[in-house]
Amino acid sequence: IPPYFVAVAFTGEGAQSPAAAVVHDTVSGHALATIRPSIRGGTIVGVSAAGDDHTFVLDEQTWVKPKYPFPTAGYSGPHSFYLLRLSSAGRVSSLGRLRVTVPATQVLSAFALSPDGQRLALAVQPRKGPARTDLEVVTLSTGSTRMWSAVGIFRSGAADSRALSWTAD
C-alpha cells in the first residue's frame, strides 16, 4: 500500500464547484497538502499516479458553473497537465506544468502516467469529424510522441484517469 495518495476534492458542494488535488496520508487519512488550480477559474479534473508512490500527473481545465436544471458542472477549454512530486514525508517537493496539452478541439477520454513516471498516455478524439480515437504516448522529458489511431470512439465518460492504465511490465 502506498504511503500517500492524491485525490480530486471539490472545494464546495460536490460536482457543483471547482476541485483541487489533495495529498492524503494513506494510514491516517489526514490531508497533508492541497494543490489548487493554477489558473483563475480552473479546476483539477483528474489525477494519475506512477508506480513510485511519489509521482503524479494532475489534469487541469477551466471550470464552468452549472446552469439549472443540470446538476453537474461543465468543463471547457484545453486540458493542461502538471507533474507533481512528493517528498518522502508526503509534502509537495515539486509541481511543474508539462508541455503536454489537449486542445479544446479534441475530447480527452482518458489518461494514465506510466509506472516509471516517464510517459503519459492520452486517449483523445476530435470534437468534430470522423469517429476516431487516438492513443498518444508522450515521453515527458523530451516531448516526443507516439500515436496509434483506431476507427470508433473510446467511451469512458469525462476525462477519466481511471479508464486507462499501464501494467508494471
Side-chain angles (χ1 to χ4, degrees):
I1 295 175
Y4 311 106
F5 68 93
V6 178
V8 176
F10 292 106
T11 56
E13 188 174 335
Q16 296 185 5
S17 63
V22 181
V23 179
H24 294 271
D25 179 280
T26 300
V27 174
S28 70
H30 290 113
L32 303 175
T34 299
I35 299 95
R36 305 228 179 266
S38 68
I39 58 171
R40 183 180 177 153
T43 186
I44 305 297
V45 294
V47 61
S48 183
D52 67 0
D53 303 331
H54 294 285
T55 306
F56 301 84
V57 165
L58 306 177
D59 175 13
E60 182 180 83
Q61 205 174 10
T62 302
W63 180 76
V64 178
K65 186 173 181 167
K67 294 180 180 167
Y68 185 79
F70 301 105
T72 59
Y75 308 102
S76 67
H79 291 261
S80 299
F81 297 92
Y82 295 82
L83 187 65
L84 167 65
R85 293 191 192 274
L86 301 179
S87 69
S88 59
R91 303 291 182 207
V92 175
S93 63
S94 67
L95 178 65
R97 186 172 181 169
L98 296 171
R99 293 179 283 181
V100 180
T101 60
V102 175
T105 57
Q106 294 181 320
V107 175
L108 176 65
S109 296
F111 69 100
L113 185 60
S114 64
D116 63 5
Q118 301 299 311
R119 292 164 291 160
L120 185 64
L122 307 159
V124 297
Q125 301 148 4
R127 283 205 185 276
K128 296 180 181 178
R132 184 186 84 234
T133 299
D134 296 332
L135 177 64
E136 299 176 14
V137 177
V138 181
T139 302
L140 299 180
S141 62
T142 64
S144 68
T145 302
R146 290 191 64 193
M147 183 168 50
W148 295 264
S149 295
V151 175
I153 296 176
F154 178 88
R155 298 215 189 272
S156 69
D160 193 344
S161 58
R162 299 169 298 177
L164 192 62
S165 61
W166 292 75
T167 61
D169 63 358

